[in-house]
Amino acid sequence: MSKVREITVNVDEFLALDKYEVDEESAHIELVEDPDDEEFLKLVRVCPAALYKIDEDGKKSFDYAGCLECGTCRIACEGTIVKKWENPRPTMGVEYRYG
Amino acid sequence: MSETDFDIIVVGSGCAGAVAAYTAASAGKSVLVVERGVFAGAKNITGGRIYSHSLKKVFPDFEREAPLERRITHERMAFMDPASQLAVDFTSPELAEEGRDSYSVLRAPFDQWLAEKAEEAGAEYICGIAVEELLKDEGGKVCGVRAGEDEITAQVVVLAEGCNTVLAERCLGNPRPKPSQMAVGVKQVLELPSGVIEDRFLLPEGEGAAMLFVGDCTHGNVGGGFLYTNKDSVSLGLVATISTAADGANEVPVYQMLEDFKNHPAVAPVIKGAKLVEHSGHMVPEGGYDMVPRYVFDGCLVAGESAGLCMNMGYQVRGMDFAVASGQMAGQAAVKALDAGDTSAAGLASYKQAMEDSFVIKDLATFRKWPHTMEGWSSMFTDYPVMAREVFNAMFSVDGEPQRPLMKRMMPIVKKRGLLRLAGEVRKAVRSL
């Protein structure tokens, strides 16, 4: 498995400053079951919101709630492990106050 | 022509969409803009700076009306290795001249202003709902949009959905951009008092600085860092080509790159004490001319980033001026086609002609080779900044030992890299610039 250097930054703290209307009922991005390790690692590297994580035990997690809606994961992995990428439902998702 | 709900529907209210709506509504057409953000700009991000020339053509008084941050009169380009920085720092009155000036902007306020201009001209707005599908008639001509339960029809649809081209791919058959053609951008807005910004960046009151960084900011990956001063904040971020950033050879996620960039000894002092107020992400089309897709269809025109209209030259990053110009040309072409009673691809073809006759396609064509040059020029992002450090340390550093002539100090630094190889790389790059 390819490597990712130790992370010293907590992006979740940054995302807490952003304004969101989180759609609790529907995920606008879905991954395939049991995603391939290397494909998942690509998303760990490129997602600017650090939503794709691998913990110390090697367990993968993804949470769409902090999504910045850039579409990078779609460009990197649609057709491999990104199964669905839609815009969030009406009035949902991130709301940039500066941009 | 058959009856439709509107003459024109514009999908997306960024620089391209709002200007297309403004242009068509000003010509008396009925226009609906469907914007997925709860307000125009809510989903939009710039680095950012807008070169004003094309905006000036649409809004001659924009300097007084638009929510601009600062007029950029201080340009800076820096090579950074992990600890050093070599910068070219330039100020000049010509940078402030009307017609060639540029401004830092924040898209939430800026796009709301653009949307207001379109509304004042008569365009109607629906915000907070994403278009899910472009409707087509039995002949395959785009004839409207579906947003949620609603189907709304029009003679012409202007698609300005941004660079995440979901609709252009799914409904128009345009190709999905390749990871090598797109960069991921990550940016933070950091608040500082305006006086502190002017002191730290050596700015006359109200004027602004733009800084571009190459090298360690992306840990040697293809890409670069940027900093733009706003009125009372700075926009700091970086872009990295998705294919190389995602590759197993890169061990540093982009958000960690940004954190390291913020902690670089050349950057940390200028943002010291600043308060983070927003963390954002956005893609940037960087493939240039070769990634521009088809942008004229039966009943539909594609404008702005959706048409890949962006250029990252390393020393110059452009997108919004292309978006504004393409929005205006799309609006004008739609009006012309409506007046002529033919909104087929043939009837809308004046858009393609106008684009090809303008700076938009001409500039992309001129610098067509540049994205490939950058991609294959890894030393620009890794070894050149280190070489710069060695060269300038040899020049500036004094240790009291008897000094050798300057050329004798420099030549080993250049020679160990191969003089011919360096000259070859630079010549190749200069040719594509």
Side-chain angles (χ1 to χ4, degrees):
Chain A
M1 212 160 85
S2 61
K3 281 196 295 189
V4 169
R5 204 177 291 171
E6 189 198 352
I7 304 302
T8 62
V9 59
N10 183 356
V11 180
D12 291 344
E13 283 175 13
F14 300 156
L15 300 183
L17 298 167
D18 290 352
K19 188 173 177 195
Y20 292 97
E21 201 63 54
V22 178
D23 190 343
E24 307 285 358
E25 286 157 29
S26 167
H28 70 285
I29 300 171
E30 285 176 20
L31 304 183
V32 298
E33 294 280 325
D34 194 21
D36 174 74
D37 288 347
E38 287 302 327
E39 287 297 297
F40 194 87
L41 275 164
K42 286 184 183 175
L43 302 184
V44 172
R45 293 185 180 94
V46 297
C47 173
L51 302 179
Y52 298 86
K53 293 187 172 78
I54 301 181
D55 70 14
E56 290 142 8
D57 305 325
K59 192 169 165 291
K60 305 185 197 88
S61 66
F62 165 65
D63 183 0
Y64 67 90
C67 181
L68 300 169
E69 296 169 37
C70 65
T72 304
C73 56
R74 192 178 77 82
I75 294 299
C77 290
E78 188 174 57
T80 60
I81 64 168
V82 173
K83 186 172 73 180
K84 169 185 150 184
W85 202 109
E86 303 284 349
N87 284 309
R89 296 196 299 173
T91 72
M92 297 293 177
V94 70
E95 186 181 317
Y96 290 119
R97 293 162 299 137
Y98 296 86
Chain B
M1 271 192 268
S2 57
E3 276 297 303
T4 51
D5 299 323
F6 290 88
D7 293 328
I8 298 168
I9 294 174
V10 177
V11 181
S13 190
C15 292
V19 169
Y22 171 84
T23 304
S26 299
K29 303 303 173 195
S30 66
V31 179
L32 174 71
V33 183
V34 186
E35 160 57 43
R36 72 184 185 92
V38 291
F39 55 84
K43 304 286 187 184
N44 301 350
I45 292 292
T46 175
R49 167 233 304 257
I50 182 166
Y51 291 93
S52 74
H53 60 97
S54 54
L55 189 66
K56 184 88 183 160
K57 290 206 177 80
V58 185
F59 304 110
D61 276 337
F62 80 92
E63 296 97 333
R64 286 193 299 105
E65 297 177 19
L68 304 167
E69 295 295 325
R70 288 172 184 267
R71 187 171 63 186
I72 305 297
T73 54
H74 193 153
E75 301 277 352
R76 198 159 159 282
M77 263 189 68
F79 287 95
M80 49 176 32
D81 87 342
S84 76
Q85 175 184 240
L86 164 69
V88 176
D89 191 294
F90 182 68
T91 57
S92 119
E94 282 79 11
L95 295 173
E97 267 176 24
E98 193 178 300
R100 59 171 70 189
D101 50 358
S102 66
Y103 297 82
S104 53
V105 292
L106 292 166
R107 294 293 294 275
F110 187 73
D111 290 9
Q112 285 181 82
W113 172 75
L114 281 176
E116 274 166 31
K117 297 302 287 182
E119 278 191 293
E120 281 168 20
E124 288 183 45
Y125 263 75
I126 299 178
C127 287
I129 182 160
V131 168
E132 285 162 50
E133 188 190 350
L134 302 181
L135 303 174
K136 290 182 182 168
D137 65 18
E138 56 282 3
K141 178 179 183 287
V142 174
C143 60
V145 303
R146 185 173 60 78
E149 303 293 298
D150 295 324
E151 295 197 345
I152 316 167
T153 57
Q155 304 289 338
V156 182
V157 172
V158 175
L159 183 59
E161 61 175 333
C163 63
N164 189 23
T165 48
V166 175
L167 291 168
E169 293 167 38
R170 293 174 192 170
C171 304
L172 297 175
N174 277 356
R176 185 171 84 216
K178 297 186 186 82
S180 60
Q181 294 173 322
M182 298 294 274
V184 50
V186 52
K187 173 183 120 164
Q188 294 186 341
V189 178
L190 299 147
E191 274 184 356
L192 280 171
S194 59
V196 172
I197 290 175
E198 283 150 13
D199 288 349
R200 286 190 190 175
F201 295 92
L202 311 176
L203 299 168
E205 195 179 337
E207 296 188 8
M211 301 182 166
L212 297 172
F213 302 83
V214 178
D216 195 61
C217 43
T218 50
H219 290 303
N221 289 287
V222 182
F226 60 84
L227 186 154
Y228 297 96
T229 57
N230 303 312
K231 271 187 189 135
D232 43 24
S233 65
V234 299
S235 294
L236 177 75
L238 56 86
V239 294
T241 303
I242 294 176
S243 54
T244 52
D247 193 90
N250 167 39
E251 295 184 5
V252 188
V254 292
Y255 51 86
Q256 183 69 44
M257 283 181 195
L258 178 62
E259 186 65 12
D260 297 346
F261 179 44
K262 284 170 71 180
N263 288 319
H264 189 281
V267 175
V270 298
I271 57 166
K272 189 180 160 201
K275 183 183 161 210
L276 175 66
V277 291
E278 190 166 83
H279 178 90
S280 56
H282 194 80
M283 284 193 294
V284 191
E286 295 202 330
Y289 185 83
D290 289 330
M291 77 174 292
V292 174
R294 187 177 163 191
Y295 50 86
V296 179
F297 295 82
D298 275 331
C300 184
L301 299 173
V302 184
E305 267 184 340
S306 304
L309 307 179
C310 265
M311 228 166 65
N312 182 352
M313 303 293 294
Y315 59 93
Q316 194 184 75
V317 185
R318 296 170 62 184
M320 290 185 283
D321 60 331
F322 289 103
V324 167
S326 69
Q328 187 182 31
M329 288 185 269
Q332 287 165 342
V335 169
K336 203 170 159 186
L338 283 160
D339 289 344
D342 178 7
T343 56
S344 69
L348 290 166
S350 71
Y351 178 47
K352 186 160 195 280
Q353 194 59 52
M355 291 270 275
E356 286 175 351
D357 290 343
S358 77
F359 74 90
V360 174
I361 297 297
K362 282 184 178 169
D363 284 358
L364 285 166
T366 301
F367 303 106
R368 179 176 192 163
K369 287 185 183 156
W370 180 245
H372 310 292
T373 305
M374 292 276 260
E375 228 177 290
W377 198 11
S378 62
S379 48
M380 171 56 103
F381 305 93
T382 51
D383 190 41
Y384 285 12
V386 176
M387 180 171 72
R389 178 185 185 169
E390 291 170 9
V391 164
F392 286 91
N393 272 332
M395 190 165 151
F396 290 124
S397 159
V398 176
D399 62 3
E401 290 293 314
Q403 285 197 327
R404 300 167 69 216
L406 191 60
M407 277 310 282
K408 289 209 163 129
R409 278 180 266 159
M410 297 298 166
M411 281 321 281
I413 297 168
V414 178
K415 266 187 183 157
K416 74 179 175 193
R417 292 173 168 88
L419 191 56
L420 283 174
R421 183 175 66 82
L422 283 177
E425 284 174 357
V426 172
R427 196 168 53 232
K428 188 176 160 210
V430 168
R431 268 208 300 260
S432 62
L433 272 175

